[in-house]
Amino acid sequence: MLSRATHRPLRTRLSVLVTALCACAMAATALTWILSGDPAVIVIVELAGLAGVALVSTAVVRRELRPLEQAADTADAIATGDFGRRMVAADDAPTTEVGRLTDALNRMLGQIQASLAAREQSEDRMRQFVADASHELRTPLQSLRGYAELYQQGALPDTAAVDDAVARMLSEIHRMTRLVESMLMLARFDEQDDTEVEQVDLSRVVADSCRDATAVEPARPLHSRIEPGVTVLGDEAQLRGLLGNLLGNVRMHSGPGTPCHVDLVRAGSDVLLRVEDEGPGIPDHAVAHVFDRFYRADRGRSRASGGSGLGLPIVAAIAELHGGRVRLDSAPGRGTRVEVILPGRAA
Ligand SMILES: Nc1ncnc2c1ncn2[C@@H]1O[C@H](COP(=O)(O)OP(=O)(O)OP(=O)(O)O)[C@@H](O)[C@H]1O
Ligand SMILES: [Mg+2]
């Protein structure tokens, strides 16, 4: 029904016009024949009528088709890559077929331009990621090369020096392995739109993670308040990774005896996971950047302890894949609090 209504007006307008012009020409011929009866006059009137029909119909058809010509020009410009161009709609645009076509094409162009911009942005992000990753890998590679060259030149005087060099090389290799694993994980998350869905007993995952953290650092007071039976839909391994990163940050960025608090509670239909420490906190200027890939608030210290600045971006990516979000609140001397809010699910 709709497509008929949209096609009829232009066709109708043109056929009414041609019919009306032909009728006028025939009427003029008939009138001349009645009034004068002179064949020469009739021929002249007929010729004049035909010329008039031709002129008027040409002018009208041209006027009607002008928007289509403009559309063709715009399409040519777009074909050469000018995606910013738009069809210009006439005043009576939405009511005519050309107006509707213009509107539809403009909307389509808008969508194409938006998806091209999104692709460009993601390519920029990928380029930046590759550049940062290469930069990060260069440092451990340089030190590996340094130790290998020292050994080759016979500059390591005794077995103890060789053992020390090998230990350092192994530590750099572990660092690189962790870095590459984190990068692969983030790259995988970038490709995923959502995550494997299973019902996960988050209370159990959080309790396990706290136990693991205490096993690694028995001297750190870890206070946990875990509401039982809190479940979410998601990927258990990823959620364990999220907690591992947050508790790893407490371990890596605050002193060994610094207390840590882990809370898991339901908050309405959401689930709130909070990991808080009473450590040194993060400088104000750095707080806004801690979710940027490869960012470290204290580059020297984090690098020395093996950090690559991918932990919090991984936490954010996991939360996002679970339909949740992350908040970080920190100030120097006040400690650091990270809150992960996930959509909950009744057990
Ligand atoms: N609990 C915390 N206390 C103090 N600073 C923190 C804490 N958590 C994160 N930060 C700061 O935020 C930065 C980014 O954290 P992120 O976890 O992304 O990287 P990382 O811990 O340095 O390295 P990675 O997690 O990749 O091993 C850290 O380098 C650190 O400066
Ligand atoms: Mg970390």
Short mmCIF file of all heavy atoms in Angstrom, two decimals, residues 49 70 73 83 108 137 162 173 183 206 219-220 240 245 271 290 313 332 339:
data_model
loop_
_atom_site.label_atom_id
_atom_site.label_comp_id
_atom_site.label_asym_id
_atom_site.label_seq_id
_atom_site.Cartn_x
_atom_site.Cartn_y
_atom_site.Cartn_z
N GLY A 49 0.93 24.50 -31.31
CA GLY A 49 0.47 23.69 -30.17
C GLY A 49 1.50 22.64 -29.80
O GLY A 49 1.82 22.46 -28.62
N GLN A 70 20.52 15.98 -8.97
CA GLN A 70 21.36 16.37 -7.82
C GLN A 70 21.78 15.13 -7.04
O GLN A 70 22.92 15.01 -6.59
CB GLN A 70 20.58 17.32 -6.89
CG GLN A 70 20.48 18.73 -7.45
CD GLN A 70 19.55 19.58 -6.62
OE1 GLN A 70 18.83 19.10 -5.76
NE2 GLN A 70 19.55 20.88 -6.91
N ASP A 73 24.60 13.54 -8.79
CA ASP A 73 25.85 14.26 -8.56
C ASP A 73 26.43 13.91 -7.18
O ASP A 73 27.62 13.65 -7.02
CB ASP A 73 25.63 15.78 -8.61
CG ASP A 73 25.35 16.22 -10.05
OD1 ASP A 73 25.61 15.40 -10.96
OD2 ASP A 73 24.85 17.35 -10.25
N PHE A 83 32.32 11.16 2.00
CA PHE A 83 31.17 10.65 2.73
C PHE A 83 30.45 11.71 3.55
O PHE A 83 29.43 11.46 4.16
CB PHE A 83 31.59 9.50 3.64
CG PHE A 83 31.89 8.25 2.88
CD1 PHE A 83 33.20 7.91 2.56
CD2 PHE A 83 30.87 7.43 2.44
CE1 PHE A 83 33.49 6.78 1.84
CE2 PHE A 83 31.15 6.29 1.71
CZ PHE A 83 32.47 5.96 1.41
N MET A 108 21.06 6.56 5.36
CA MET A 108 22.00 5.47 5.09
C MET A 108 23.44 6.00 5.12
O MET A 108 24.35 5.39 5.68
CB MET A 108 21.68 4.86 3.73
CG MET A 108 22.50 3.64 3.41
SD MET A 108 22.14 3.07 1.76
CE MET A 108 23.03 4.24 0.77
N LEU A 137 57.62 -4.59 25.39
CA LEU A 137 58.40 -5.81 25.20
C LEU A 137 59.88 -5.51 24.97
O LEU A 137 60.74 -6.34 25.21
CB LEU A 137 57.86 -6.61 23.99
CG LEU A 137 56.55 -7.36 24.27
CD1 LEU A 137 55.95 -7.89 22.99
CD2 LEU A 137 56.81 -8.53 25.23
N VAL A 162 76.92 -16.06 37.01
CA VAL A 162 76.13 -16.71 35.95
C VAL A 162 74.75 -17.06 36.49
O VAL A 162 73.72 -16.79 35.85
CB VAL A 162 76.85 -17.99 35.44
CG1 VAL A 162 75.95 -18.75 34.46
CG2 VAL A 162 78.16 -17.62 34.76
N ILE A 173 61.83 -13.21 31.47
CA ILE A 173 61.02 -14.10 30.61
C ILE A 173 59.62 -14.26 31.22
O ILE A 173 58.61 -14.20 30.52
CB ILE A 173 61.72 -15.47 30.43
CG1 ILE A 173 62.94 -15.30 29.51
CG2 ILE A 173 60.76 -16.51 29.84
CD1 ILE A 173 63.87 -16.49 29.44
N MET A 183 48.08 -9.34 27.09
CA MET A 183 47.73 -8.72 25.80
C MET A 183 46.79 -9.61 25.00
O MET A 183 45.82 -9.14 24.41
CB MET A 183 49.00 -8.43 25.00
CG MET A 183 49.77 -7.28 25.58
SD MET A 183 51.15 -6.71 24.60
CE MET A 183 51.85 -8.11 23.92
N VAL A 206 34.55 -15.41 45.19
CA VAL A 206 35.21 -14.37 46.00
C VAL A 206 35.88 -15.01 47.21
O VAL A 206 37.02 -14.69 47.55
CB VAL A 206 34.18 -13.29 46.43
CG1 VAL A 206 34.83 -12.28 47.37
CG2 VAL A 206 33.61 -12.58 45.22
N ALA A 219 50.60 -12.67 56.11
CA ALA A 219 50.77 -11.58 57.06
C ALA A 219 49.78 -10.42 56.82
O ALA A 219 49.60 -9.57 57.68
CB ALA A 219 52.19 -11.04 56.97
N ARG A 220 49.13 -10.41 55.65
CA ARG A 220 48.24 -9.26 55.38
C ARG A 220 46.85 -9.52 56.00
O ARG A 220 46.23 -10.54 55.72
CB ARG A 220 48.07 -9.05 53.87
CG ARG A 220 47.20 -7.85 53.55
CD ARG A 220 46.93 -7.73 52.06
NE ARG A 220 48.16 -7.57 51.29
CZ ARG A 220 48.78 -6.42 51.09
NH1 ARG A 220 48.28 -5.31 51.59
NH2 ARG A 220 49.88 -6.37 50.37
N ARG A 240 37.13 -14.97 38.10
CA ARG A 240 38.28 -15.27 38.96
C ARG A 240 39.47 -14.37 38.57
O ARG A 240 40.21 -13.88 39.41
CB ARG A 240 38.69 -16.74 38.85
CG ARG A 240 37.78 -17.65 39.62
CD ARG A 240 38.26 -19.09 39.60
NE ARG A 240 37.24 -19.93 40.18
CZ ARG A 240 37.09 -20.15 41.49
NH1 ARG A 240 37.93 -19.61 42.33
NH2 ARG A 240 36.11 -20.91 41.95
N ASN A 245 43.18 -9.96 39.65
CA ASN A 245 43.81 -8.69 39.31
C ASN A 245 43.66 -7.67 40.44
O ASN A 245 44.60 -6.96 40.78
CB ASN A 245 43.21 -8.12 38.03
CG ASN A 245 43.99 -8.55 36.81
OD1 ASN A 245 45.18 -8.28 36.70
ND2 ASN A 245 43.34 -9.26 35.91
N VAL A 271 24.81 -6.56 41.78
CA VAL A 271 25.73 -7.17 42.74
C VAL A 271 26.92 -6.22 42.86
O VAL A 271 27.42 -5.74 41.84
CB VAL A 271 26.19 -8.54 42.19
CG1 VAL A 271 27.38 -9.05 42.97
CG2 VAL A 271 25.05 -9.54 42.23
N VAL A 290 44.06 5.22 35.20
CA VAL A 290 44.45 3.86 35.59
C VAL A 290 43.76 2.78 34.75
O VAL A 290 44.22 1.64 34.73
CB VAL A 290 44.22 3.58 37.10
CG1 VAL A 290 45.22 4.33 37.94
CG2 VAL A 290 42.80 3.88 37.49
N PRO A 313 42.65 -2.42 33.01
CA PRO A 313 41.90 -2.53 31.75
C PRO A 313 41.25 -3.91 31.57
O PRO A 313 40.14 -4.00 31.05
CB PRO A 313 42.97 -2.28 30.67
CG PRO A 313 44.01 -1.47 31.35
CD PRO A 313 44.00 -1.90 32.78
N PRO A 332 46.04 9.86 47.62
CA PRO A 332 47.28 9.56 48.34
C PRO A 332 47.03 9.52 49.85
O PRO A 332 46.38 10.42 50.40
CB PRO A 332 48.20 10.73 47.96
CG PRO A 332 47.63 11.25 46.68
CD PRO A 332 46.16 11.02 46.74
N GLU A 339 35.24 -0.66 42.98
CA GLU A 339 33.90 -1.27 43.06
C GLU A 339 33.50 -1.80 41.69
O GLU A 339 33.57 -1.06 40.70
CB GLU A 339 32.88 -0.24 43.53
CG GLU A 339 33.08 0.11 44.99
CD GLU A 339 32.04 1.09 45.50
OE1 GLU A 339 31.48 1.85 44.68
OE2 GLU A 339 31.81 1.11 46.72
#
